[in-house]
Amino acid sequence: MTDPKVKKYSEELKKLGIEHEILKHPQLVSVEAVQKYLGYGLEDAGATLVIKVDDKFIAIIRRGDTKLDNERVKKYLGVANLRMANEEEFTKLTGVPSGAASVYIPSLPTYIDKKIFEKEYINAGSGSLLYTFRYKTSDLKKIPGIKVVDFTSIESEKKSSLIDIKGKRILSGITPSGDGTLHIGNYLGAVKQFIEFAKNGDCYLMVADLHALTTIQNKAQLQKNTETLILNELALLGNLTNIVFFRQSDVPMHAELTWILNNVTPLGLLRRAHAYKDKLSKDVMEDEINLGLFNYPILMASDILLYKPDFVPVGRDQKQHIEICRDIAGRLNKTYKSDVLKLPKPYIPEDVAVVMGTDGKRKMSKSLGNIISIFDDEIVIKKQVMSTYTDPTRIHSNDLGHIEGNMVFAYLDFFGEKNKVSELKDLYKEGKVADVEVKNYLFESLMKTFKDARVRYQELKNNPQKVTKILSNGADRAREVAGKTMMEVRDAIGLTNNYSFFKY
Ligand code: TYM
């Protein structure tokens, strides 16, 4: 690490006995952008607010997904006025740029909200926009003079899980990247919501093979990945009939609309896209990044807008793309004074917005090698389960165990039987059950959850005619809807067949 200020801060923390890990990232200002880059959600972040109460300043540390209740702060501190420090005051008081405040600021009386302690670790400021520290929350109580308070309420995305999905149109897509197989992060973050919707709604699901071209430029690999993903998805979907399942490249309108949207999209909007920024931060020269990768959010906007869905169920990593899609659609509508494009909403239930990987540190992702597969051989999945991060403080099975941050229990909350999981949690906390027993139960639960899908996968693999027919039906239905939207778009922007030969 090169930043001497950050190094000094880290040493001060060590002196106070505050355990922390130093995470480096590109220069990012918002808590959301940093968390996204690091593969965490807002609920795993701590944000330092500098606040002016009457005539003095204080610092409040709140969790990223919570909202400060001003009235509670005023009541607790016995003050009448309260406002956020402005940028100048902030920098003067903390000595660092806005967005970089650390957790320990000796010059400011500091209050820490109790919801921080619901997490075992939290990512928060370090004094630099290039580093985030992952603090052990229980150690934060060692900050001199710190007071634990109850100042916040949860600002949740839960409202989206309460939406009435009856009769709504849903669209989503998955890219056949990596080797094309699905993991439980894809399942919990996107496919499961999709299946729920499909029981009542009108659903479109695409295998986004055009998106894969941004990274896969090998004919055999692209074909293999696409086929694998098709079989994985169809096996999970089962016999749902409300789904139009298709391959993106079978519907040429996606590329056509992309060209039209290119012309209303400013460069700056794409420069802010995470996928592009991530690529840049990996020491790739801007001149060498292919235009497909740069344009990717526009293709994804076309994927969505062609079908006019109400909701797009995705994991949080795709949220920005849906915001970009809304932005682009709004720009086209405004440019042509039309409402031809319908602005979609993301659908991201909070509890599965980011499924963490088996390392317990980063978002589950094939490229990080921290996944649990769905369709691999049992022996592979067992190995993935057995290497899942649990409680590093627990050396013997009779040591008291921790559930928070323990990935085996995090997965069991989704896949295990409720009563059994709650019983295992109690036993684990009391040091009465070994890690391996809990892991065996997770493995059994996964096998049970995906039993039918795994059987269907083998059946589909042996029945290519059936799969080809599903895809050709899906492509026909998708082309019909996409074609209709394209006619409307062409009409709205002046690419019509309705010639008037200069009688304007
Ligand atoms: P992709 O293929 O990377 O991921 C597919 C879906 O899985 C979700 N996901 C996760 N959710 C929670 N936790 C995780 N660890 C996790 N890993 C993956 C993703 O958020 C996504 O919903 N660009 C898209 C595909 C796409 C698309 C679209 C999506 C193309 N066109 C139109 C919606 C609408 C992508 O690459 O997702």
Side-chain angles (χ1 to χ4, degrees), residues 168-341:
K168 297 277 192 281
R169 182 173 287 184
I170 307 306
L171 173 133
S172 199
I174 303 184
T175 306
S177 50
D179 64 1
T181 57
L182 291 176
H183 52 71
I184 62 169
N186 300 127
Y187 173 74
L188 293 173
V191 181
K192 191 163 173 247
Q193 276 66 262
F194 196 84
I195 293 174
E196 277 313 304
F197 273 122
K199 290 181 187 158
N200 288 302
D202 163 26
C203 293
Y204 290 76
L205 182 58
M206 92 194 72
V207 172
D209 55 349
L210 294 178
H211 281 271
L213 289 174
T214 61
T215 53
I216 300 178
Q217 284 151 7
N218 172 306
K219 180 177 168 178
Q221 196 195 343
L222 183 63
Q223 279 180 325
K224 186 163 179 276
N225 282 12
T226 307
E227 287 175 17
T228 305
L229 180 59
I230 289 170
L231 293 184
N232 276 204
E233 290 194 68
L234 286 177
L236 282 173
L237 296 175
N239 299 321
L240 290 169
T241 48
N242 284 343
I243 297 182
V244 176
F245 182 79
F246 65 102
R247 201 175 61 146
Q248 186 188 25
S249 62
D250 281 336
V251 185
M253 294 80 181
H254 292 244
E256 186 182 1
L257 184 58
T258 300
W259 176 253
I260 290 170
L261 298 181
N262 277 342
N263 300 286
V264 292
T265 308
L267 270 184
L269 185 63
L270 297 185
R271 282 217 179 92
R272 289 194 288 276
H274 298 306
Y276 172 69
K277 286 205 292 193
D278 287 355
K279 200 82 181 176
L280 272 186
S281 69
K282 286 184 188 134
D283 297 332
V284 177
M285 301 291 289
E286 189 173 26
D287 285 356
E288 279 160 23
I289 293 178
N290 76 53
L291 266 182
L293 189 102
F294 186 67
N295 256 17
Y296 172 109
I298 308 187
L299 179 60
M300 183 156 156
S302 304
D303 296 343
I304 298 170
L305 298 168
L306 281 171
Y307 301 90
K308 304 188 179 177
D310 298 288
F311 295 103
V312 183
V314 282
R316 191 181 284 139
D317 60 347
Q318 296 297 321
K319 189 175 174 194
Q320 190 199 28
H321 288 142
I322 297 169
E323 282 158 9
I324 294 177
C325 169
R326 288 174 62 88
D327 190 327
I328 295 176
R331 282 168 193 268
L332 184 126
N333 286 348
K334 195 164 166 235
T335 306
Y336 293 100
K337 297 185 185 55
S338 149
D339 57 2
V340 63
L341 296 178

Side-chain angles (χ1 to χ4, degrees), residues 465-482:
Q465 290 92 335
K466 184 173 172 185
V467 179
T468 316
K469 189 149 180 255
I470 295 174
L471 286 168
S472 90
N473 278 343
D476 285 346
R477 290 172 69 189
R479 274 195 294 260
E480 200 180 312
V481 178

